[in-house]
Amino acid sequence: MTASWKSRFSRFIGAQPDRLLFAAHSHHPWPDVTFEAQQQAWLDAARYADTKWDRVFGELIPRAQAHVARLLRLPDAATICFAPSTHELVVRLLSALPANPRVLTTDSEFHSFARQMKRLEEANAARVDRVPVAPYETFAARFKAAAARGGHDLVCFSHCFYNTGFLVEDPVALVEAVADPQTCVLVDGYHSFMAVPIDFSRVAHRAFYTAGGYKYAMTGEGACFLHCPPGVAERPVNTGWFASFGTLTAAQAGAVPYAQGGQRFMGGTFDPAPLYRFNAVQQWLLEDGITVEAIRAHVLRLQARFLELRDRDGLLPDAELVPPAGTPRGNFFVLRHARARAWHGALLAAGVMTDCRDDRLRIGFGLHQDEGDVDALALRLLPL
């Protein structure tokens, strides 16, 4: 089974056969079906010209919405909105909050959100409370307590944290801890979507959820989405003409109109090609019976093999595994050491794609690998 999975990435793997791709958490290889999907996007643009948008909104987006709703167990696929980046979607959500909002988040959110919050603080345009993620064993309790105290306009946290791989085992419980029903809640699922199974149905009426295709959805750039709970933040100030695509031919008088469902969070013109790729990947997975549970099980086997080889061969012995073994984590490892950047550079020179964040080397696993790839990685780590 796993051999056939790897064979479905022949274009990415074959582009440099000696290269080892261990950065699935950052830039996941694209399966071969995305090549034909990319071509189809071009052909449809040529065939339909400006009328392609009827096809995009009438066929492409509803199909992609249905896939996301299935993966998150959402009751209504129409709550999904797409955009080129999660940052665009998050900024649009921020524009729906009161002026100078108070935000509860963590000290380990991804760069774009963390940077935006810090800049808003500099401009005296937001007040931000940050809960430290470490110590990991008490994070959920501490975050729930902070959320229960109330007084926030937005509560935002990651399901899986980018700088450690630490996984919140029950993100739904954190959402439910938010006491004030008027508080917007946002779960960042970018490092967990399609890596770890999730059932968001219990809080679909309450919380926003954002992720995208660049990582474990295997789709590349530009296919990001936001689940928008009904009745919450219905009129974002940051808005584009696609937020009311169905009314464009009518007179634009009176209050600014918004579409129903997630489309109210759409922006302006975008490249639909990423949605072609996203739908192609999802269709392949469905046809081959590959579930998120199966992907997760496959990755856990690869991770176990890596730890076995690390112990046996003493690979990077002075590097700290963050969080420690036995702590819930996503589909990548973080090894912390002062030489992390040097190791990253040496691995790149040896044909191994990883990535580095400050003093943390990140090594990721995915559907495109087998145990032979892990063994090959171990051999290239030995000289370090």
Side-chain angles (χ1 to χ4, degrees):
M1 177 66 78
T2 57
S4 66
W5 294 348
K6 184 175 178 178
S7 69
R8 302 302 292 267
F9 295 84
S10 66
R11 289 184 180 274
F12 255 68
I13 294 173
Q16 295 187 43
D18 293 331
R19 180 179 60 181
L20 296 175
L21 298 167
F22 278 89
H25 53 282
S26 178
H27 185 118
H28 199 295
W30 304 357
D32 296 340
V33 293
T34 59
F35 185 79
E36 289 75 20
Q38 185 79 18
Q39 290 178 311
Q40 191 61 53
W42 196 100
L43 293 172
D44 282 356
R47 179 180 179 185
Y48 297 105
D50 196 41
T51 61
K52 76 180 182 182
W53 293 110
D54 294 327
R55 181 174 172 82
V56 169
F57 279 90
E59 298 179 33
L60 197 68
I61 288 178
R63 196 176 306 140
Q65 287 175 319
H67 287 308
V68 174
R70 170 177 52 82
L71 291 162
L72 297 181
R73 308 291 193 267
L74 301 177
D76 182 7
T79 60
I80 296 297
C81 168
F82 292 97
S85 72
T86 58
H87 183 252
E88 175 181 325
L89 293 164
V90 171
V91 169
R92 197 157 292 134
L93 175 59
L94 290 172
S95 79
L97 301 178
N100 194 23
R102 187 176 176 192
V103 179
L104 174 66
T105 186
T106 77
D107 66 351
S108 299
E109 298 306 311
F110 186 65
H111 294 302
S112 57
F113 183 82
R115 173 187 171 89
Q116 189 66 72
M117 289 300 101
K118 185 174 182 181
R119 184 65 187 97
L120 287 172
E121 286 180 297
E122 289 177 346
N124 295 316
R127 296 156 294 160
V128 185
D129 301 320
R130 295 176 179 84
V131 176
V133 172
Y136 308 104
E137 59 273 15
T138 63
F139 169 73
R142 289 184 288 107
F143 195 87
K144 286 179 186 178
R149 283 193 289 271
H152 298 100
D153 299 295
L154 174 67
V155 173
C156 176
F157 65 92
S158 291
H159 184 190
C160 178
F161 292 97
Y162 85 99
N163 59 349
T164 59
F166 172 60
L167 184 71
V168 176
E169 290 191 282
D170 191 357
V172 168
L174 267 62
V175 172
E176 292 177 330
V178 179
D180 187 348
Q182 300 304 312
T183 299
C184 286
V185 183
L186 172 65
V187 178
D188 182 349
Y190 218 147
H191 285 80
S192 59
F193 179 63
M194 289 199 64
V196 180
I198 184 172
D199 184 340
F200 210 64
S201 61
R202 206 166 77 215
V203 291
H205 69 288
R206 177 74 177 86
F208 291 83
Y209 179 102
T210 191
Y214 197 49
K215 306 181 191 304
Y216 296 103
M218 301 175 274
T219 302
E221 305 88 340
C224 293
F225 67 84
L226 180 71
H227 159 67
C228 310
V232 182
E234 292 188 296
R235 292 173 56 82
V237 175
N238 180 334
T239 187
W241 66 299
F242 276 169
S244 188
F245 185 75
T247 68
L248 293 178
T249 57
Q252 300 295 300
V256 174
Y258 287 81
Q260 297 296 309
Q263 192 182 329
R264 70 187 187 274
F265 271 84
M266 291 199 74
T269 308
F270 62 94
D271 177 11
L275 295 182
Y276 281 82
R277 299 195 302 265
F278 178 78
N279 285 338
V281 170
Q282 294 303 319
Q283 188 60 36
W284 159 55
L285 295 174
L286 282 172
E287 290 174 356
D288 279 22
I290 305 172
T291 63
V292 176
E293 289 79 3
I295 295 172
R296 177 67 169 167
H298 175 68
V299 165
L300 289 177
R301 287 192 293 270
L302 297 181
Q303 289 183 337
R305 177 61 176 168
F306 177 83
L307 292 179
E308 175 189 342
L309 293 175
R310 186 181 185 226
D311 291 342
R312 188 192 74 183
D313 299 334
L315 304 173
L316 307 179
D318 297 328
E320 175 192 4
L321 181 63
V322 181
T327 308
R329 77 179 70 246
N331 285 12
F332 60 99
F333 284 136
V334 173
L335 296 169
R336 188 175 186 181
H337 194 277
R339 296 195 62 221
R341 292 184 186 180
W343 289 341
H344 171 254
L347 286 170
L348 189 61
V352 181
M353 299 291 294
T354 60
D355 72 346
C356 183
R357 294 290 184 267
D358 192 19
D359 61 351
R360 302 176 186 215
L361 180 71
R362 301 194 303 176
I363 300 175
F365 304 84
L367 206 59
H368 60 291
Q369 300 160 331
D370 56 24
E371 289 194 354
D373 294 307
V374 179
D375 293 348
L377 171 64
L379 288 175
R380 298 189 201 186
L381 285 171
L382 278 174
L384 301 183

